[in-house]
Structures are given as C-alpha cells and as structure tokens.
Amino acid sequence: HGVEGVLEFQPGEQEQTIVIPIVDDQEYEKDEYFRVLLTDPMGGVKFDELTDGGGECCIAIVKIFSDDVVRTNVDKLLSMINTDAMQITSTTYKEQFVSAWYCRGSKEEQAEANWFDWVLHILSLPFKLIFALCPPPHVWGGWQCFFASLIFIGILTAVIADVANLLGCCIGMDPSITAITLVALGTSLPDTFASRTAALDDPFADASIGNIMGSNSVN
C-alpha cells in the first residue's frame, strides 16, 4: 500500500532523509521494487528535468534484494523437485487404488463383469488394496517399486508358507506333501493369472514365458 507524507526543508537545509522500514519476515521472496515519488514542489523548488519524472516530479526506484542464503537454498531445493513427476505420482497412486477397488479395473469394465469376475475380485480385493500401496514404477527410476515389490512378495510368501504348514499340521499332512500341493498352488496360481494377462497384452508373449519359467524355477 502507498504511503504519503510531506517532506519539509528548513531555511538553509539542503538534505533530508526518508526512512522506509523494511520488514524481514524470514520467508522466501523474489527481488522486489518500489518507487519513491516527490511531487507538488512549493516555495520555489524545482526538479531537474533531466532526471526521472522530469520537471513535474522526482522518481527514485528502490530495489530490495532477497536474502542470498535463503534464496540459494530454496532454488536448489526447487531444482531437485520435479513437480510434474509429483503430480503424475499422485495421479498414478489414485489410479492404482481405483483400479484395485473396481472389478476388472474400472467402473466401465465393472458394468460388464460376470459372476466369475466378481468371485475373483472379492477373493483378491484385500491383496489388491495392499499391493496398491506399491510405489508407481516411474518413481526413482523404478527402484522404489522394485524393492517394495520384493518386500511385499517376501511377506506374502512367508504368510502362505506358515498358513500351509499350519493347515498341514491340523490335517496330519506331511510337510513335503504340503509343499508340493498347498504351497505350490498358493504361489503358482497368482503367477498363472499374471502369465495369462501378460500373454494377452504382449504380442509375442515374452513376459508370459519368462514369468512361467521363473515361477516354476523358484517353486
């Protein structure tokens, strides 16, 4: 907001000082400018016509430089942050949960789902929501998604093995039989659906073949 006042010179006085308080709020701001205007001279006072404002007024432009330390630190931080990638990440996270919640991945596809699709969706919904927490693959070049997936897979494998051993113990099944039936089924069945999806989406089914061979080798 502009501030007005009267600058008065006493007889014989040749200089006056205009005090302009600058408030430092310790926040990052760019360089700023404001003008000081002297107008309406009285008592025979004249302005130099060769300066800014000419003979009608006198203009002084004041520039406020931002704090170099704060500005440098903030600029470095902003240069390290990719705001576009952050926006894409938040959008992708939202899409992951939306796809996990709806049967067949979307509201439109859900309208065309049959009873078998609904059975599979209800059985796998808890796992879909849990694995939707996995970071999107474009974050940090995919490494965050890679290690998070390994952690999720390790936890899921441990849970399946413990539940299978407990079930085998309750029904009196030998651990080796439990391993080649219940555990193998629990770990290979998801890979079966993943391989089917990969085979349908990939023109050459390379991902499907690699998934099948890797799953069978580990199991």
Side-chain angles (χ1 to χ4, degrees), residues 173-186:
M173 183 180 295
D174 187 80
S176 58
I177 303 299
T178 303
I180 63 176
T181 55
L182 299 179
V183 177
L185 180 64

Side-chain angles (χ1 to χ4, degrees), residues 20-24 34 62 64:
I20 303 175
I22 305 298
V23 179
D24 187 3
F34 67 89
V62 181
I64 304 175

